[in-house]
Amino acid sequence: MLELRDIVKIYQGGTVNETCLFNGFSLSIPDGQFVCVVGSNGSGKTSLLNIICGSISVDEGQVFVGGENVTHMPEHRRHRRIGRVYQDPALGTCPSMTILENMSMADNKGRPFNLLPCVNRKKTEEYRALLAQLGLGLEDKMGVRVGSLSGGQRQAMALLMSTMTPIEFLILDEHTAALDPKTAEIIMQLTGKIVAEKKLTTIMVTHNLRYAVEYGNRLLMMHQGRLELDLSGERRQNLRVDDLLQRFNEISIECGN
């Protein structure tokens, strides 16, 4: 279970540009849910993910992960239980290192390296098998530097690497936004496969309304730090893209746009 209780987040506090994004915001996500989050720019989607991951602090309220209060836990410690894939494919991998070195680093997440070599070559075949599942031919490029790969190949690697070690939550921050349509489809199919196989509690922020409708079992629509929609069960199953688009238009009119 992931819980946010009475969260208050103020940006640029004490200045003329002070903005209160969240004011008493609460959210509970039970284990096993795949939650899609949509909303306009500035609605609080990415801030929500950053608060969960510890990238930004809260002014008031508490964050609980698996029943543990992690409100003041630093980001690197939270990431032992959380995997995150960013919008920019370059952020999830190290470009100057080879595919084998990147896989080895991800496999050692949360554990000390001490004075041992970074790469455990005994696990090379295990990594090859994992990469082969992507269907991108990366298993034959273990010695290639990741910086020379395409954005789609790097994002597929980032998704795979974020779930190599046991995690409780997967955070997807518009992870297909920087990709071309064909590659985005491949990454989304891979996402659905990994989430289902590993039974991961997942939060996916996306601007693609079709993905929000086709994937996951709960949908949240955010606006100005509030939840405008929270759909699951039958209401979620019957949701169409046109329904979401209509709600977006209604919000736009209400805001005077």
Side-chain angles (χ1 to χ4, degrees):
M1 171 85 68
L2 172 67
E3 293 183 88
L4 280 72
R5 299 181 186 173
D6 302 317
I7 297 297
V8 174
K9 180 60 187 176
I10 299 173
Y11 288 102
Q12 297 180 309
T15 73
V16 294
N17 296 317
E18 178 175 305
T19 302
C20 181
L21 178 59
F22 294 121
N23 188 10
F25 181 88
S26 296
L27 176 67
S28 296
I29 299 178
D31 293 340
Q33 277 197 341
F34 186 162
V35 183
C36 294
V37 184
V38 297
S40 57
N41 291 332
S43 61
K45 305 184 302 297
T46 297
S47 290
L48 171 67
L49 301 187
N50 286 334
I51 287 171
I52 292 170
C53 294
S55 304
I56 60 175
S57 61
V58 297
D59 295 288
E60 294 181 29
Q62 297 174 310
V63 181
F64 289 83
V65 174
E68 180 183 2
N69 189 337
V70 300
T71 309
H72 303 294
M73 181 181 290
E75 183 177 12
H76 71 275
R77 286 187 57 197
R78 294 193 204 187
H79 273 256
R80 295 175 183 175
R81 306 168 69 174
I82 298 173
R84 185 171 185 176
V85 184
Y86 297 86
Q87 177 178 337
D88 184 354
L91 293 180
T93 54
C94 182
S96 63
M97 297 169 62
T98 66
I99 291 178
L100 175 58
E101 289 167 342
N102 270 267
M103 296 288 285
S104 297
M105 289 285 287
D107 197 18
N108 203 61
K109 175 183 173 182
R111 296 192 296 267
F113 282 98
N114 299 321
L115 296 177
L116 298 174
C118 166
V119 176
N120 182 353
R121 297 194 177 276
K122 294 180 180 178
K123 304 193 75 171
T124 301
E125 291 307 313
E126 179 183 328
Y127 299 154
R128 285 185 190 275
L130 287 172
L131 290 165
Q133 297 176 22
L134 302 178
L136 300 174
L138 296 177
E139 66 275 14
D140 298 322
K141 301 179 179 180
M142 299 294 282
V144 173
R145 293 187 186 277
V146 171
S148 67
L149 302 179
S150 69
Q153 289 173 321
R154 291 183 70 168
Q155 199 68 313
M157 273 194 64
L159 180 59
L160 182 63
M161 288 164 57
S162 69
T163 58
M164 282 180 67
T165 56
I167 56 173
E168 298 173 42
F169 301 95
L170 177 62
I171 304 294
L172 305 170
D173 189 359
E174 297 186 50
H175 69 310
T176 62
L179 307 176
D180 66 77
K182 180 179 179 181
T183 305
E185 291 292 334
I186 294 173
I187 296 301
M188 280 307 307
Q189 292 171 12
L190 177 62
T191 298
K193 180 174 180 288
I194 288 176
V195 170
E197 288 179 352
K198 294 181 177 288
K199 298 179 173 59
L200 294 172
T201 304
T202 303
I203 305 173
M204 181 179 77
V205 166
T206 180
H207 279 298
N208 188 310
L209 299 186
R210 180 170 65 82
Y211 292 160
V213 168
E214 291 181 358
Y215 290 86
N217 48 31
R218 183 179 178 186
L219 182 135
L220 307 179
M221 178 182 284
M222 298 186 66
H223 178 63
Q224 295 180 347
R226 304 187 306 272
L227 288 180
E228 290 289 331
L229 286 177
D230 185 351
L231 304 178
S232 57
E234 186 175 347
R235 293 179 65 199
R236 168 66 183 78
Q237 293 175 358
N238 296 331
L239 187 67
R240 301 174 304 164
V241 172
D242 288 344
D243 299 328
L244 280 182
L245 207 51
Q246 180 180 349
R247 185 58 188 140
F248 266 112
N249 290 334
E250 290 171 356
I251 291 173
S252 182
I253 292 172
E254 289 167 6
C255 293
N257 296 327

